Amino acid sequence: MKYISTRGKKTNTKRFQEVLLKGLADDGGLFVPEALPQFSPEKISELQTLSYAELTYEIIHPFVGDDIPKDVLKTAINDSYAAFNHPAVAPLRQLDTNTWVLELFHGPTLAFKDFALQLLGRLLDYALEENGQRAIVLGATSGDTGAAAIEGCRHSKNLDIFILHPHNRVSDVQRRQMTTVLAQNVHNIAIEGNFDDCQELVKQSFADQSFLPEGLRLVAVNSINWTRIMAQVVYYFYAATRLGAPQKSITFSVPTGNFGDIYAGFIARGMGLPIEKLIVATNQNDILHRFFQNNDYSKKALQQTLSPSMDIMVSSNFERLLFDLHGNEGDTISKLMAQFQQNGQLHVNDKIWQQAKQLFGSYSSDNNSICETIKTLYQQTAYIADPHTATGIRACNELGNATTATVALATAHPVKFSDAITKAGLPVPALPESMSDLLTRTENYRLLGNSLHALKTDICAYIKQY
C-alpha cells in the first residue's frame, strides 16, 4: 500500500511506516491511500462471524502491507482490544424498530478514541524500536483524544507525550483522565484558548520542527494521522455485518467535529461496505452542517457547549474528503486550503457540492435540543446517552430512513459529561470502579498562553531535563 498527500504530487508516495511516523505530510497535507482495498460482497459475508480483533486484522492488514510483520500486527491488535470491558468490544444496542446505538465507549478511557489510540501507541512503539529512534508525541484534544492518547502511549519506552487541551473548556472528568496520569513521559498543557487554537499550534509545530534537537521528531496522534482513520474503519464493518450487510444497506449517524470519525465511514463505503447514507451530526459549532446544507464552509466564533468534544470550527479531516471530491488533485486542494487559511472561507463548485450532498446528510443540535433528546430517550428506553451521542440520535430521528437500519455512534460514556446529564434532569451514572477515585487524584499540568514560542520553549525545557 502506498500513500499520497492531499496537497502533493501523485508520484510522491510513502509507505505505511513513513505515514505512521510522520503524521502530517511535508507539504502540510494529510496522507491518504493511493487506492482503497476492495471487499466483495462474498468477502464481507465472511466477516460476519469474526470477533472484533479478528475483523480488525482483516480490515487493516491491506493498509499496512508488509511494513509490519503479521504476527506483530496481530499481537498489537489483540493487546489493544483485550483492555476493553465488554466482550463484544463494540456492542450494538437497539433503541427502536430500526434504530441502533453502536457503543464505542467500553475502552480504558470510556471514549471511541480508544479504538484507534490503543493500537496507534503500540504500532508507534514498534516502528520506533525497529528504526532505533525516539519521538515526541504532540497532540491537541477537545477532551477525549488526550486521555486515550496518554493511555495508549504512557507505557512506551520510545515516546514522550505532550497533550494540549483548551483551558476550562473540557469536562472535569475529561481533564482529570489526562492530568492525573503522573508517568514521567506524560506532559499535559492547558492552553489559554479554544481547541482550534490548540490544533493550530500542533500543526505549526509539525510544519517547522527545527526547534528540536537532532535525532528527535514529532509524531501525530490526532486524526491527522492516517492510522487513526484506518482503525476506525473497522467498527463500521463490525456494525454493518452484524445488521445484515452485505445483503442489507446501513445508514450511520456520526457525532463529529473534526470529521475523522465519519470520514472513516466514507472510507468503509469506498471499500465496498453497503452504506446508504452518512449523517453528519454537529452541535452549535456547525461548520460541517453549513457546508452540506449551503456550501458554506466558513469560520465563525467558536461556542462553548454541553458537547465539548465537538467544540471545533476547523475540521482537519474535511480536507481528505475535498481531495476525493476533486479527483485527487493536490494542487487544487493546496489552493483551496491556502484560501481558507487566508480568509476563513471555502466554497466548492455546485457540481462537487451536489456530489457531497448525495453522500452525506447533516443535522445540527443546540444545547436545549441535546438535553431534550437525552431526557426523551431515557423516558422511552431507560437509556442514558452522553451529549455527543445525543446529537447523533437526534439526527437519526430527523433524517433516518424508516426502511433502512440506522446506527448512531455512541462516542463516549455519559459519566464524562455530568453537566449535560444533570441539565437533562437525569441522575449522573457512577464512575466505573477502576476510576472511582478519579475526582480526588492529584493533578499535574502546566498553563501556557496561546503562543507557538511558549509551546516550543516548554518542550525544549523538558528535553533538556532528560
Side-chain angles (χ1 to χ4, degrees), residues 202 228 240 398:
V202 169
R228 285 274 306 273
E398 296 293 333

Side-chain angles (χ1 to χ4, degrees), residues 245-283:
Q247 289 78 19
K248 295 180 180 179
S249 295
I250 312 294
T251 289
F252 286 92
S253 181
V254 186
T256 188
N258 224 3
F259 203 71
D261 205 8
I262 197 163
Y263 180 74
F266 175 76
I267 293 296
R269 187 178 187 271
M271 293 169 66
L273 192 66
I275 296 178
E276 181 168 305
K277 197 82 170 181
L278 289 163
I279 300 173
V280 175
T282 76
N283 61 17

Side-chain angles (χ1 to χ4, degrees), residues 266 269 275-279 292 321 324-325 354-361:
F266 175 76
R269 187 178 187 271
I275 296 178
E276 181 168 305
K277 197 82 170 181
L278 289 163
I279 300 173
F292 290 108
L321 177 65
D324 185 276
L325 293 173
Q354 293 295 341
Q355 182 183 347
K357 284 170 63 68
Q358 289 296 314
L359 297 170
F360 295 89

Side-chain angles (χ1 to χ4, degrees), residues 399-414:
L399 303 179
N401 187 326
T403 62
T404 304
T406 302
V407 177
L409 270 55
T411 53
H413 194 291

Side-chain angles (χ1 to χ4, degrees), residues 284 306 365-374 394 423:
Q284 292 157 248
L306 291 173
S365 299
D366 60 19
N367 283 339
N368 289 335
S369 59
I370 287 173
C371 289
E372 177 188 327
T373 301
I374 293 171
R394 191 172 186 90
K423 287 188 178 182

